[in-house]
Amino acid sequence: MSEEIVVIEGDGIGQEVVPAAVSVLEAVGDFEFVAAEAGDAVREATGEALPQETYDAVADADATLFGAAGETAADVILPLREAVGSFVNIRPARSYPGVDAVRPETDLVFLRENTEGVYSGHEDRLSDDLSTLTRVVTTSASEQLAEFACEYVTDADADADADGFQIVHKANVMRETDGRFRDAVVDVAEAEGVETEEVLMDAFATRICLDPTQFDVVVCPNLAGDVLSDLAAGLVGGLGLLPSANVGPDNALFEPVHGTAPDIAGEGLANPAAAILSAAMLLEHLGYDDEAANVRTAVESVLEDGPRTADLGGDAGTDEVTDAIVGRLE
Ligand code: NAI
Ligand code: MG
């Protein structure tokens, strides 16, 4: 192993949970870590939230581990997702034994469109009274996501034990944009012989709260995936548990779903699980399946037995939990 992994801590608890994840990667492999900067602090110092050298390093790396950026999140993470050519954001949401959860039976994966929708950056202030946003949906991006989803559910190695996937949309109202998204995804799935079920976005929010076992793999537009995965985090015990992967054809960036958590930043209280589970996704992406399984098992056993951080009702800090996880690695 000598892959080059770019490491961007960013702001707030990114500076606490990313070093935790790096220490886990160091314990299971022999990677070359390249530190890069992005976020609010860099903007304050240099005027730029995302220096060109960081963008280039991410584009050239084998993989990137990112923490979070604060106010500049959109200026950082949207271009970085572009730097890795990412067309899908994979967000698994599952509960863990030993962790108090509203819905302990939750176990699903969001496959979120990662380049367009309302996050494509076309906002305008037209007058003192009027601002507009252009929602962008292309058949090509929707099809690329759908092809990935079909491979995901038919890949025997993937976590998914699904025969098909659900498509979340709001095409009854956004007939043109979500209609295009829905049609493109359905067409690809039909051609691939993969079953789909359509679920309207608002109804999905209710159904996942009432019975999350109805869902295994959920394909959704960009904003819906952002919001609904945070909702799922609430069902399983909080944002400290959800990892994610931004995957492109030859490159990928891994980050916890959470942000900079300004309410607890700097105090050493952040739950490192989401960042460490993101590192496990990174290992899997690079082909280190055994190492990824080793990390996940260690995280699961510490979540079950403790020590736990305050968000999970414990009184341990980030370092104590990280040391316990490293100590449980095989
Ligand atoms: P947040 O995810 O930072 O925090 C929401 C709540 O969850 C807070 O109470 C926080 O303490 C808790 N939390 C989050 N991660 C945790 C962890 N690992 N351990 C324990 N508790 C945790 O979301 P919020 O407060 O809406 O946003 C804060 C800042 O983060 C904003 O400036 C936002 O722009 C940025 N952000 C950046 C993202 C990124 O860089 N990808 C993603 C989401 C938000
Ligand atoms: Mg979010």
Side-chain angles (χ1 to χ4, degrees):
M1 292 184 197
S2 59
E3 283 90 345
E4 183 182 297
I5 299 174
V6 170
V7 176
I8 305 171
E9 294 179 359
D11 303 309
I13 63 166
Q15 296 173 5
E16 300 163 45
V17 298
V18 170
V22 168
S23 69
V24 170
L25 288 172
E26 279 171 341
V28 297
D30 182 20
F31 300 105
E32 190 191 331
F33 296 102
V34 178
E37 289 188 319
D40 297 359
V42 195
R43 187 181 61 178
E44 227 158 83
T46 69
E48 261 185 321
L50 181 62
Q52 186 65 40
E53 59 192 33
T54 297
Y55 183 97
D56 293 342
V58 169
D60 292 342
D62 292 302
T64 296
L65 187 63
F66 173 69
E71 273 174 28
T72 56
D75 307 311
V76 171
I77 193 62
L78 298 180
L80 286 183
R81 286 174 181 157
E82 178 201 286
V84 298
S86 173
F87 55 87
V88 58
N89 186 206
I90 309 173
R91 296 187 159 194
R94 54 157 293 196
S95 52
Y96 293 91
V99 175
D100 250 351
V102 177
R103 286 289 175 209
E105 62 279 37
T106 307
D107 186 4
L108 72 153
V109 177
F110 291 94
L111 301 179
R112 164 189 174 192
E113 200 289 316
N114 214 15
T115 60
E116 46 188 37
V118 292
Y119 286 0
S120 51
H122 301 286
E123 280 199 300
D124 292 295
R125 176 179 288 254
L126 297 183
S127 76
D128 286 347
D129 185 49
L130 175 66
S131 297
T132 59
L133 161 68
T134 303
R135 187 166 196 259
V136 176
V137 174
T138 64
T139 299
S140 49
S142 308
E143 285 179 349
Q144 199 174 16
L145 174 67
E147 277 154 18
F148 182 89
C150 290
E151 271 173 43
Y152 191 87
V153 296
T154 51
D155 178 359
D157 289 342
D159 302 338
D161 49 4
D163 304 329
F165 56 81
Q166 278 103 352
I167 310 168
V168 168
H169 61 72
K170 192 76 184 164
N172 56 332
V173 177
M174 295 181 279
R175 293 191 188 108
E176 182 55 43
T177 49
D178 262 9
R180 179 183 289 275
F181 176 80
R182 186 261 326 271
D183 292 349
V185 175
V186 168
D187 285 352
V188 168
E190 275 176 6
E192 300 286 341
V194 170
E195 280 176 38
T196 58
E197 180 199 359
E198 293 177 40
V199 187
L200 292 177
M201 200 186 295
D202 40 2
F204 179 89
T206 307
R207 280 177 59 184
I208 189 178
C209 292
L210 292 175
D211 179 13
T213 65
Q214 300 169 69
F215 304 109
D216 288 313
V217 177
V218 176
V219 171
C220 44
N222 205 338
L223 172 65
D226 191 5
V227 175
L228 296 171
S229 56
D230 272 36
L231 190 158
L235 297 180
V236 301
L239 280 164
L241 295 170
L242 260 65
S244 82
N246 300 280
V247 175
D250 322 298
N251 197 341
L253 177 146
F254 301 82
E255 51 168 340
V257 167
H258 64 71
T260 57
D263 50 340
I264 56 167
E267 296 180 45
L269 298 174
N271 186 347
I276 294 172
L277 292 167
S278 301
M281 295 180 86
L282 181 153
L283 287 166
E284 205 163 46
H285 176 78
L286 293 178
Y288 300 113
D289 292 358
D290 293 345
E291 288 81 355
N294 187 6
V295 171
R296 287 199 181 102
T297 305
V299 171
E300 281 163 29
S301 83
V302 170
L303 287 174
E304 184 159 11
D305 303 336
R308 298 191 194 91
T309 43
D311 54 315
L312 303 181
D315 56 10
T318 311
D319 290 346
E320 190 183 342
V321 171
T322 304
D323 290 347
I325 291 169
V326 171
R328 298 262 177 131
L329 292 167
E330 294 287 315

